[in-house]
Amino acid sequence: MNETELVEAARNGDQEAFHSLVEQHQSQVAATVIGMLGRGPEAEDIGQETFLRFYKALPRFRGDAKVGTYLTRIAVNLCINE
């Protein structure tokens, strides 16, 4: 499945599709968070929170941006708030 299909499947409750999206983007999110906060429990928490926020936002995700861009923006905002 391509990214658009994975998002649509995840939106419809397919946990494997969401897991695939996480696997595809977890290193990018981790690099962003670690780059801003350094290594540590806060970085791990922000990384998890990034994907949790994305999961909750799936019904509103329009796909105007790529998933990686969207996740990076969530991660950056969470790091700034931290």
Side-chain angles (χ1 to χ4, degrees):
M1 275 192 239
N2 67 34
E3 189 170 85
T4 304
E5 292 168 333
L6 286 172
V7 168
E8 190 59 33
R11 187 179 286 143
N12 291 322
D14 185 337
Q15 295 297 312
E16 287 186 35
F18 185 74
H19 183 71
S20 292
L21 289 167
V22 171
E23 284 183 338
Q24 288 175 17
H25 298 285
Q26 65 187 358
S27 61
Q28 175 186 346
V29 169
T32 300
V33 173
I34 291 168
M36 292 184 74
L37 299 178
R39 294 188 184 276
E42 293 86 9
E44 291 175 21
D45 290 346
I46 296 295
Q48 290 177 358
E49 183 67 20
T50 298
F51 288 103
L52 180 61
R53 297 255 177 122
F54 177 59
Y55 184 78
K56 290 178 179 178
L58 276 172
R60 298 181 311 278
F61 180 69
R62 296 186 315 254
D64 295 339
K66 292 183 179 183
V67 171
T69 303
Y70 194 76
L71 287 167
T72 298
R73 176 50 42 202
I74 294 170
V76 167
N77 288 343
L78 289 170
C79 287
I80 290 169
N81 290 339
E82 182 66 27

